[in-house]
């Protein structure tokens, strides 16, 4: 909720079923329209790629300083981590994500 109050846009991408995704998203203050569920890995990659592309266009057109950040469990996130400006991995997949990080 605090992030949204600061004007930070948040979209939840989940492979889980819609009712579960909505229940979890609502616990952190997300509205139903901010939650995309039942997505395959490829669907998530497309969503992230589109967000990064849109952000790059806005940076060029309006000289903004927006960034695209992804938070995940680190498992199977390496391709998406390579696309975004900032990637946060939690849980057991964090070590794997660190191996692909550009640090």
């Amino acid at each position: 909720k605090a992030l949204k109050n600061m004007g930070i846009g948040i979209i939840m991408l989940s492979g889980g079923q819609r009712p579960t995704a909505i229940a979890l998203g609502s616990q952190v203050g997300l509205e139903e329209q901010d939650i995309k569920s039942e997505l395959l890995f490829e669907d998530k990659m497309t969503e992230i790629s589109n967000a990064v592309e849109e952000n790059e266009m806005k940076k060029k057109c309006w000289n903004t300083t927006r960034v695209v950040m992804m938070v995940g469990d680190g498992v199977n996130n390496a391709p998406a981590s390579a696309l975004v400006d900032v990637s946060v991995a939690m849980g057991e997949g964090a070590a794997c994500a660190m191996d692909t990080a550009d640090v």
Side-chain angles (χ1 to χ4, degrees):
K1 291 180 183 181
L3 294 174
K4 288 179 78 171
N5 289 339
M6 292 188 302
I8 297 174
I10 301 168
I11 298 174
M12 178 179 160
L13 305 177
S14 173
Q17 294 181 352
R18 185 87 181 140
T20 303
I22 290 172
L24 291 172
S26 66
Q27 289 180 17
V28 294
L30 296 179
E31 304 291 329
E32 281 194 42
Q33 66 266 16
D34 299 327
I35 301 168
K36 299 187 178 190
S37 58
E38 300 180 22
L39 300 175
L40 299 174
F41 173 77
E42 295 81 14
D43 300 328
K44 292 178 188 179
M45 285 297 297
T46 299
E47 291 286 339
I48 291 168
S49 180
N50 289 344
V52 169
E53 187 175 305
E54 177 184 333
N55 193 48
E56 288 302 314
M57 288 180 8
K58 287 181 179 180
K59 282 181 184 177
K60 290 178 184 175
C61 293
W62 295 295
N63 195 27
T64 63
T65 56
R66 291 181 38 178
V67 297
V68 175
M69 181 174 112
M70 182 190 84
V71 178
D73 61 8
V75 178
N76 297 322
N77 289 341
S81 296
L83 293 176
V84 298
D85 299 304
V86 179
S87 180
V88 178
M90 303 176 290
E92 295 178 18
C96 176
M98 287 175 59
D99 289 339
T100 61
D102 186 20
V103 287

